[in-house]
Amino acid sequence: MSKQRWQDWVTTIVGAYVFFSPWIIPYFSPSSTTSGMATWVHFLAGAAILAIGVAALASYKLWEEWVEVALGIWLIVAPSIVGFSTIRAFT
């Protein structure tokens, strides 16, 4: 099945947003170790989501959906696990 779905486009856009979010949202400071970890989590998860989204646009596979779910869960729990849930925005 190679039928493109609108969800695959949304996944691709969300992956790009997560990847570029350290530059979009003022929460990340390169001078902080904790912020550095948060930046890397966003870079890696965003790149993976973006790659899976593009792959889903090319050809649909069920495993891509499960990888997207796992990456989404990782983005939800990463602030607590990696320890950047206490980062506040710069003013």
Side-chain angles (χ1 to χ4, degrees):
M1 175 188 297
S2 64
K3 182 179 173 183
Q4 291 181 357
R5 300 174 315 153
W6 65 270
Q7 295 94 334
D8 299 330
W9 285 104
V10 171
T11 299
T12 304
I13 292 167
V14 167
Y17 178 77
V18 170
F19 181 81
F20 290 111
S21 66
W23 291 291
I24 297 170
I25 308 171
Y27 283 92
F28 304 99
S29 169
S31 62
S32 169
T33 304
T34 305
S35 293
M37 285 298 296
T39 301
W40 278 106
V41 166
H42 280 79
F43 284 156
L44 296 175
I49 293 169
L50 181 62
I52 295 295
V54 170
L57 286 171
S59 89
Y60 173 78
K61 303 288 184 203
L62 184 59
W63 66 267
E64 295 165 345
E65 306 300 322
W66 288 106
V67 171
E68 291 168 357
V69 168
L71 289 168
I73 291 170
W74 169 246
L75 286 174
I76 291 170
V77 299
S80 298
I81 293 174
V82 178
F84 58 89
S85 59
T86 59
I87 295 175
R88 300 289 179 237
F90 299 120
T91 56

